[in-house]
Amino acid sequence: MNYDKFVSDCFNELKVKQEELTKKYDLNSYSNWFYDQASGLLTFTDENKELNFRYYEVGTFSKVSKTWKWSWDNEHTLKKVKEQIEVVKQFGIKHGFEKLTQGLFDSDEIEGWDFTSIATNLLNGIGSYRPETEKHLIFMVLYELVDNDKANEEKEMYVDCEKHERRRRAFICQHLEKNSENGFEEAFETYEDMEFEYDDDDFQAWFTKCEKVRIENDGWNDVSMDFAKIKLVCEKCYFEIKETNK
Ligand SMILES: [Zn+2]
Ligand SMILES: [Zn+2]
């Protein structure tokens, strides 16, 4: 397989997909964008309208150092949006395409589009987007349109933590904190980074005494809820607290 030929085929394919996507969703009529790595959602908004897509981050081009960095090589990029880009790397290894296998190297914006075209092809994307920040061009592959209500529900599954940035949400009772030695009763057994079995699962824990009140009240009702006063923390904080409350 010839790299230049492959890139040019992928580029032409993306061009067609991009035109279709832009037209189908009237993308140019939205003036604001916002992306959320935690939920993997890219949101376009304008007065009274919103559009959500799932995306993968291919990589970033630094306008300062004039370098390309694949997302899988970027420790600041969350797993949710970079995991699948591994497919591109493996493809590069298989075919001896070095640029797909090195994490960071001198490059330019055009090459960013080459890599994005390849990723769109290999991951069956529906188009791309390239937000710009002060120092970076961020190259993304869009792969699925998401219903707005569903998208907002998914975004609410994450919280911004002062210590751990943006993470999955978790619920604990008011009595639990680090080293509070209050026991740790969970809704179900958990471990870090676990995938939930059901979409509406959440990390939930409470102190031994709250468990007693809960049982006395036949579960969670106004009385037991008022005693527990459940609060919201991030997933990382949850496990830090769990570790010190056995
Ligand atoms: Zn409690
Ligand atoms: Zn936290």
Side-chain angles (χ1 to χ4, degrees):
M1 188 183 266
N2 174 280
Y3 181 75
D4 291 337
K5 169 80 168 66
F6 178 62
V7 169
S8 125
D9 288 349
C10 290
F11 186 80
N12 290 329
E13 185 194 333
L14 175 59
K15 218 174 126 191
V16 174
K17 283 182 172 176
Q18 197 64 25
E19 274 166 20
E20 276 173 13
L21 186 82
T22 308
K23 210 172 135 195
K24 187 170 177 189
Y25 299 109
D26 199 11
L27 275 192
N28 294 332
S29 71
Y30 292 83
S31 40
N32 313 300
W33 53 263
F34 173 81
Y35 65 89
D36 176 31
Q37 289 190 9
S39 61
L41 291 166
L42 170 68
T43 307
F44 295 97
T45 61
D46 210 303
E47 284 170 51
N48 305 321
K49 59 176 184 175
E50 183 181 324
L51 200 55
N52 286 282
F53 293 98
R54 291 192 204 287
Y55 79 93
Y56 301 124
E57 183 182 312
V58 184
T60 45
F61 174 69
S62 164
K63 296 187 274 183
V64 183
S65 61
K66 311 282 179 208
T67 48
W68 170 263
K69 192 172 184 64
W70 284 100
S71 60
W72 49 258
D73 192 51
N74 194 336
E75 60 177 22
H76 301 294
T77 306
L78 297 184
K79 194 173 125 194
K80 180 97 179 175
V81 294
K82 71 177 176 186
E83 209 172 22
Q84 282 300 313
I85 303 300
E86 184 69 24
V87 170
V88 181
K89 186 184 175 185
Q90 291 307 323
F91 182 85
I93 292 170
K94 190 176 162 197
H95 295 280
F97 296 158
E98 262 181 32
K99 284 185 172 171
L100 308 187
T101 64
Q102 293 171 358
L104 175 75
F105 49 90
D106 292 340
S107 186
D108 56 30
E109 186 184 347
I110 293 169
E111 214 165 37
W113 282 114
D114 289 349
F115 301 146
T116 305
S117 304
I118 292 172
T120 308
N121 172 281
L122 295 177
L123 298 168
N124 206 16
I126 55 174
S128 63
Y129 198 63
R130 201 228 53 202
E132 181 164 5
T133 63
E134 200 188 327
K135 292 175 183 164
H136 294 99
L137 301 176
I138 306 166
F139 290 81
M140 298 173 171
V141 172
L142 315 189
Y143 63 96
E144 189 188 355
L145 177 79
V146 188
D147 171 82
N148 289 338
D149 289 341
K150 174 121 179 54
N152 287 304
E153 221 172 84
E154 286 181 24
K155 282 188 233 172
E156 277 170 21
M157 309 283 274
Y158 300 86
V159 289
D160 293 306
C161 174
E162 279 179 13
K163 270 167 70 190
H164 306 111
E165 297 183 337
R166 201 162 160 80
R167 301 274 174 173
R168 271 193 292 187
R169 69 181 178 187
F171 297 96
I172 58 170
C173 81
Q174 60 166 339
H175 310 97
L176 290 177
E177 45 195 273
K178 257 175 120 174
N179 303 309
S180 54
E181 291 177 4
N182 273 342
F184 202 83
E185 300 281 342
E186 288 185 292
F188 50 89
E189 207 176 313
T190 65
Y191 54 91
E192 254 186 292
D193 292 327
M194 71 184 283
E195 299 284 346
F196 291 132
E197 194 172 344
Y198 304 103
D199 279 353
D200 56 355
D201 276 349
D202 273 308
F203 294 110
Q204 298 172 36
W206 46 90
F207 143 57
T208 319
K209 187 131 184 242
C210 282
E211 176 65 0
K212 212 173 147 242
V213 175
R214 189 179 77 91
I215 291 166
E216 282 165 9
N217 284 277
D218 296 321
W220 291 116
N221 64 8
D222 288 352
V223 179
S224 51
M225 284 298 272
D226 190 55
F227 186 78
K229 288 200 175 58
I230 301 291
K231 60 187 179 186
L232 186 64
V233 294
C234 98
E235 175 178 1
K236 268 259 184 272
C237 285
Y238 183 92
F239 284 99
E240 283 181 10
I241 293 164
K242 184 176 178 176
E243 274 307 299
T244 58
N245 274 279
K246 279 174 178 167

